[in-house]
Amino acid sequence: MNSDIWMPAGSIEEAHQRALTWVCDAYLFYLVSLHRRTVYRHQYGDISLNQPALQVFIDSYLKDKGWDIERRLAHYINILDLIKYMHRSNSEFIDWGTVPALTPRGTRWMNACLSRLGEMVNSYGGWKGYIAAVEEVQTNEKGI
């Protein structure tokens, strides 16, 4: 999604989704620049990422913390490096768009979120242990 960042959105939900997409794209481009693929390297193993999974992960994390949509939108805008975007100069010949970028603080925040995820999964003994624990909780909630 490479629409102009200054183009007004039709609604707060559209603006929120656009900013969330830019944040996720920026982080995935950052990971590719480091590892040649969209993987977060955690001390206990790699976390493979794609844009939809990353969007749901970070947005639901903030929503579960009680942040409303306006606060989440403001956070996403704050961690995007809009100054770098404004002063872009890709090419005078052909320019098919600019890759969004995160501020250093934004990159640290995203890394911290994924690091916490890795710690949580490790505390369950790995991904299979986490899935088993979730299924057990769901079974207990249904009263089966």
Side-chain angles (χ1 to χ4, degrees), residues 41-98:
R41 303 257 187 224
H42 193 275
Q43 65 181 349
Y44 300 117
D46 293 348
I47 300 173
S48 296
L49 300 167
N50 64 24
Q51 188 194 60
L54 193 55
Q55 284 182 349
V56 170
F57 173 67
I58 66 170
D59 203 45
S60 64
Y61 169 73
L62 293 176
K63 191 174 185 179
D64 290 347
K65 286 179 66 171
W67 289 27
D68 63 6
I69 195 165
E70 290 89 3
R71 186 171 179 195
R72 294 191 317 263
L73 170 60
H75 178 68
Y76 300 147
I77 294 297
N78 284 336
I79 65 174
L80 283 167
D81 193 345
L82 298 178
I83 303 300
K84 186 182 286 184
Y85 188 87
M86 285 174 34
H87 297 294
R88 67 191 185 276
S89 58
N90 287 344
S91 171
E92 296 298 320
F93 181 57
I94 296 174
D95 185 358
W96 284 347
T98 300

Side-chain angles (χ1 to χ4, degrees), residues 8-69:
S11 66
I12 188 74
E13 291 83 10
E14 183 182 341
H16 166 264
Q17 189 59 45
R18 188 184 300 172
L20 177 60
T21 300
W22 288 331
V23 165
C24 293
D25 283 349
Y27 190 67
L28 292 173
F29 286 127
Y30 164 77
L31 291 176
V32 167
S33 74
L34 287 179
H35 309 301
R36 292 188 175 175
R37 58 193 189 123
T38 56
V39 63
Y40 175 79
R41 303 257 187 224
H42 193 275
Q43 65 181 349
Y44 300 117
D46 293 348
I47 300 173
S48 296
L49 300 167
N50 64 24
Q51 188 194 60
L54 193 55
Q55 284 182 349
V56 170
F57 173 67
I58 66 170
D59 203 45
S60 64
Y61 169 73
L62 293 176
K63 191 174 185 179
D64 290 347
K65 286 179 66 171
W67 289 27
D68 63 6
I69 195 165

Side-chain angles (χ1 to χ4, degrees), residues 98-135:
T98 300
V99 174
L102 293 172
T103 62
R105 179 178 156 262
T107 303
R108 286 191 308 272
W109 183 79
M110 295 290 286
N111 286 338
C113 288
L114 290 164
S115 179
R116 279 185 241 132
L117 173 66
E119 295 294 330
M120 180 192 69
V121 169
N122 186 58
S123 72
Y124 284 98
W127 188 247
K128 290 180 182 176
Y130 174 75
I131 296 298
V134 168
E135 288 173 351

